[in-house]
Amino acid sequence: MVGYERRLLVLVGLIALAFLPLLAASLFFLARFSAAQDRLDAVYTRTVILAHDLRGEKMRQNSLVPVIVINGERGLLVELERSNHRFDVLVGGLKALARDDETRAALDEVSALQRRLLVLQRAGVAQRLDGGTMSGANAYFQRNAGPLTSSIDAAINRFTDRSAARYQAERARNQRVVRGVFGVLVLASICAFVFCAFLGRLLLRLVEQKRTYDQVTARLAEREKAISLARKEAVEVVAHDLNNPITTILFASENLLAQPGVEQQPKVRSGVEAILLATETMRRLIRNILDHSKIEAGGLVLARETVDLRRLLTDVADQFALSAARKGLDFAYTPDAAEPLLDADGGRLGQVVANLLSNAIKFTEPGGTVSLSSRVEGEAVVVEVRDTGWGMSPEQAARIFERNWQGETAAAHGNGLGLAISKAIVEAHGGRLGVDSRPGEGSAFSVVLPLAA
């Protein structure tokens, strides 16, 4: 899965995670509101019950007074006082349940009217019990207690109406809040669903495009591989055909040099040596082209064996000592005191070192110095080729291992494949090839290879 697909999935996950806290908060909010509504219902139910008991107590008082007036029984006065006490207790309970000042004020009005009625009842009952007539007591109660009783009933009704209205208002407000929360949840769910659906479709489209891209890339890779193989085969055929005349020229030149009397003909000898040098250069270029085509086609195969590095470097140094001497260069080979062994392709490593020495000799002016050395560092061995030649700028050194890249001064000396091939061979051995160079101060190429286990 590529990066943008992962980012889309992460985005969908974050949306889901963002929705979960919203859902949890909404559920918690609804639970709190449900508990508040339950408390509101309980308070209102208790209020209705106490108001009903208050009316019942009032009706009890209204029935006791006529009985006392008609019969003149003093024992009923105690029951009347108890009823008034229960009335006060019920009013106190309603005050405790009241949720606003207006409701408490209505209850205060009921209490005040009840106290006034109690005073009148006591006075009227006292007159009757002290010898007053029943008709006189009855007229007293109708004149004074009747309006107060009506006022108390009206005050109780106002209280109950006020309590019911407040209960309905709070219940309606709670219902609006709950509907609002559900609306937000529904809207958020719809938005999240639409957005996730959009992202899902986008992700599917991207996956389909990625699949198509992979298929096209695979077909192009197969085509490129076929082209590389065809190019490799063509290069091998051409190289084989070129090697035949080059080999003939090489043998003929060597035979000419071996003829008697050539030593006494300097011009002829120098011409034949020039032919030999050109022939060797052509053979090296053809070999580079073949190696490059193998590397491109993935066909660079190493014939690994146990290699005595000191012997290998000695053989290569002997090959180039004469070339350096002919150009007037000081050449030195400094082997490591140890005799490091490598698990490597000796022929390929010799090719790398030969290429580095050939370049060092090629780009060093007469009178300069070329050196070859090796040293063991930990679990690796370092082979270094150093010269006092032209050197390179940092920009040139950064590109020196690119295929077909050459500096301006080296353009006429090869096809730019040697160092790229050498780097590929070294890396195939699990090593690395580097360069340290400065303009006018020469260059130092280092090959780092792992020692044999």
Side-chain angles (χ1 to χ4, degrees):
M1 185 177 291
V2 295
Y4 61 84
E5 295 174 355
R6 291 194 185 95
R7 288 193 289 270
L8 281 176
L9 289 178
V10 169
L11 182 58
V12 173
L14 290 177
I15 293 173
L17 290 178
F19 184 72
L20 289 178
L22 176 62
L23 178 62
S26 301
L27 293 177
F28 176 75
F29 186 74
L30 291 175
R32 293 288 300 273
F33 256 79
S34 177
Q37 183 62 45
D38 291 341
R39 290 193 296 271
L40 180 64
D41 292 341
V43 169
Y44 181 69
T45 301
R46 180 63 177 165
T47 300
V48 170
I49 293 174
L50 291 179
H52 180 269
D53 293 343
L54 189 66
R55 283 194 177 92
E57 205 61 47
K58 183 61 184 169
M59 292 176 63
R60 184 179 183 83
Q61 293 176 8
N62 292 338
S63 63
L64 282 174
V65 171
V67 172
I68 295 173
V69 170
I70 293 172
N71 299 328
E73 295 183 12
R74 294 181 179 274
L76 294 177
L77 288 176
V78 176
E79 182 61 27
L80 181 61
E81 291 295 334
R82 289 176 180 172
S83 177
N84 281 318
H85 176 70
R86 287 193 296 270
F87 189 93
D88 291 337
V89 171
L90 291 172
V91 171
L94 290 173
K95 281 185 178 181
L97 297 176
R99 299 170 62 88
D100 58 80
D101 294 337
E102 293 183 5
T103 305
R104 295 188 186 92
L107 290 172
D108 290 338
E109 180 183 3
V110 171
S111 296
L113 291 173
Q114 179 64 20
R115 285 193 295 272
R116 289 176 56 191
L117 179 61
L118 180 59
V119 171
L120 291 176
Q121 286 175 344
R122 287 172 177 171
V125 170
Q127 290 179 7
R128 174 72 177 95
L129 295 177
D130 290 341
T133 62
M134 184 178 63
S135 59
N138 187 37
Y140 174 82
F141 278 111
Q142 288 181 352
R143 183 177 62 255
N144 295 308
L148 277 178
T149 300
S150 299
S151 297
I152 291 172
D153 291 337
I156 294 174
N157 290 334
R158 285 195 298 272
F159 163 74
T160 55
D161 293 341
R162 171 65 183 172
S163 297
R166 182 173 179 81
Y167 169 75
Q168 294 298 333
E170 290 190 8
R171 185 177 181 83
R173 180 178 64 83
N174 290 344
Q175 289 176 349
R176 287 194 300 271
V177 171
V178 171
R179 285 195 296 268
V181 172
F182 272 113
V184 170
L185 278 177
V186 171
L187 181 61
S189 301
I190 293 174
C191 292
F193 175 78
V194 171
F195 192 63
C196 289
F198 169 76
L199 289 179
R201 292 185 61 184
L202 180 61
L203 182 60
L204 290 176
R205 185 179 301 174
L206 290 175
V207 170
E208 185 63 30
Q209 291 177 353
K210 178 63 170 53
R211 186 182 297 112
T212 303
Y213 172 79
D214 291 340
Q215 293 173 353
V216 173
T217 302
R219 287 197 296 269
L220 290 176
E222 292 177 358
R223 184 177 179 183
E224 180 66 22
K225 184 177 180 180
I227 292 173
S228 297
L229 291 174
R231 182 168 57 244
K232 174 178 173 292
E233 293 175 357
V235 169
E236 288 177 349
V237 171
V238 173
H240 180 269
D241 292 342
L242 287 175
N243 266 328
N244 290 331
I246 289 174
T247 302
T248 302
I249 295 171
L250 181 62
F251 288 158
S253 301
E254 291 176 347
N255 288 333
L256 282 175
L257 286 177
Q259 293 296 322
V262 174
E263 294 292 340
Q264 288 75 29
Q265 301 180 49
K267 291 184 178 180
V268 174
R269 182 175 182 81
S270 63
V272 175
E273 289 178 348
I275 293 173
L276 281 173
L277 180 61
T279 304
E280 289 294 339
T281 301
M282 291 180 65
R283 292 184 68 180
R284 179 171 51 82
L285 293 176
I286 291 173
R287 183 176 181 178
N288 285 345
I289 292 173
L290 284 171
D291 289 340
H292 179 258
S293 66
K294 289 180 181 179
I295 292 172
E296 278 194 331
L300 182 62
V301 179
L302 300 179
R304 290 183 178 270
E305 58 182 354
T306 301
V307 176
D308 185 343
L309 182 64
R310 185 169 187 174
R311 178 179 298 177
L312 185 148
L313 295 180
T314 300
D315 293 341
V316 177
D318 291 342
Q319 295 175 15
F320 285 89
L322 182 58
S323 299
R326 287 177 179 174
K327 194 173 180 180
L329 304 176
D330 292 332
F331 179 78
Y333 167 50
T334 307
D336 189 87
E339 295 184 358
L341 298 179
L342 304 178
D343 180 21
D345 187 332
R348 289 296 185 182
L349 290 185
Q351 178 184 345
V352 172
V353 178
N355 183 64
L356 296 179
L357 285 175
S358 175
N359 288 341
I361 294 172
K362 186 188 308 179
F363 299 118
T364 302
E365 297 294 336
T369 301
V370 175
S371 64
L372 172 64
S373 63
S374 64
R375 63 183 182 276
V376 175
E377 293 184 355
E379 299 297 324
V381 62
V382 179
V383 178
E384 186 176 73
V385 175
R386 184 178 295 272
D387 63 65
T388 58
W390 303 340
M392 294 175 288
S393 65
E395 293 78 12
Q396 292 174 323
R399 301 190 61 188
I400 194 65
F401 298 110
E402 295 180 9
R403 286 176 291 183
N404 300 317
W405 186 90
Q406 292 176 294
E408 296 179 359
T409 57
H413 294 272
N415 54 10
L417 296 176
L419 289 176
I421 295 171
S422 297
K423 186 173 187 294
I425 292 173
V426 172
E427 290 179 348
H429 283 84
R432 62 181 185 275
L433 175 59
V435 61
D436 181 18
S437 181
R438 292 176 180 79
E441 298 182 9
S443 303
F445 286 84
S446 58
V447 179
V448 182
L449 294 168
L451 292 170

